[in-house]
Amino acid sequence: MNELISPDTDLMKRAAQIRLLILDVDGVLTDGRLFFDDDGRESKAFHVRDGYGIKLVQERGIEVAVITARYSPAVAHRAHDLGIKRIFQGCSDKNLAYTELKIALGLDDAVVAYMGDDLLDLPILTRVGLATAPADAHPEVGCRVHWRSAQQGGYGAVRELCELILRAQGHWSAIIARAAGVLP
């Protein structure tokens, strides 16, 4: 987590309100590179720490969703592994998917966090209560968000965001205590 964040900042207030975390895939949950085998099958690499962060926020009642412009069976498999039920793939208009999701869940923009890394993410990033990006996001994205991870996409940026939200909501100490075996 960034050392400059203090509990009384606007950022922590924003993070404390989050009820829905939406993630882009390429460049956020992955490093943005695409791998194809000789038969044209695509594969992606996901960081296990990001997955654990997602599970931690889900345990605290925060819904997690994915909105991505591309379609990939690997994304569907990873989302299933993590218990993410709301997956929007092949979205040429991410903003439309965001609006549909928000209406379906009955949520306001203020309680939504989004992590995106490129220009296609800007329409959502300008609406949500907590707009975030990985360290290596496109400069036009990075200068328009409330917070940037110290980590690059696919290398723990999502985990860092999850920890920020959990700290802001007062859950982090209990998570650490449980991990250390102090609490059941």
Side-chain angles (χ1 to χ4, degrees):
M1 191 159 116
N2 298 345
E3 291 87 28
L4 300 177
I5 298 172
S6 63
D8 58 349
T9 64
D10 177 61
L11 174 64
M12 295 304 273
K13 290 175 187 172
R14 288 175 181 277
Q17 297 181 68
I18 299 307
R19 299 292 167 256
L20 171 63
L21 171 58
I22 305 173
L23 304 166
D24 178 29
V25 176
D26 297 318
V28 172
L29 282 168
T30 74
D31 65 8
R33 295 183 299 163
L34 302 174
F35 298 94
F36 295 94
D37 68 13
D38 291 341
D39 295 320
R41 287 183 301 245
E42 180 182 23
S43 64
K44 296 179 183 285
F46 299 94
H47 203 297
V48 69
R49 288 188 194 141
D50 289 338
Y52 187 55
I54 289 168
K55 296 304 276 182
L56 289 173
V57 296
Q58 289 171 324
E59 288 173 6
R60 298 318 183 275
I62 296 171
E63 180 93 23
V64 179
V66 169
I67 299 177
T68 181
R70 295 178 44 82
Y71 175 80
S72 170
V75 172
H77 289 294
R78 183 61 175 151
H80 176 75
D81 286 347
L82 295 173
I84 299 171
K85 295 176 179 36
R86 300 181 188 276
I87 309 156
F88 300 82
Q89 294 199 72
C91 295
S92 57
D93 184 350
K94 290 184 177 188
N95 202 30
L96 179 61
Y98 170 67
T99 299
E100 290 175 11
L101 177 59
K102 198 176 70 147
I103 290 169
L105 295 174
L107 298 174
D108 294 324
D109 291 329
V111 299
V112 180
Y114 183 80
M115 182 175 268
D117 71 307
D118 213 336
L119 302 180
L120 289 174
D121 300 306
L122 285 174
I124 298 175
L125 288 167
T126 59
R127 293 177 61 187
V128 297
L130 180 58
T132 69
D136 58 339
H138 188 282
E140 293 293 338
V141 172
C143 70
R144 288 175 168 81
V145 296
H146 300 113
W147 178 82
R148 278 179 89 161
S149 169
Q151 303 301 317
Q152 295 184 6
Y155 292 95
V158 171
R159 171 63 172 272
E160 194 176 353
L161 172 57
C162 291
E163 288 184 18
L164 170 70
I165 293 167
L166 293 166
R167 287 175 194 273
Q169 294 185 1
H171 300 299
W172 192 245
S173 295
I175 289 169
I176 294 299
R178 184 180 77 190
V182 178
L183 294 176

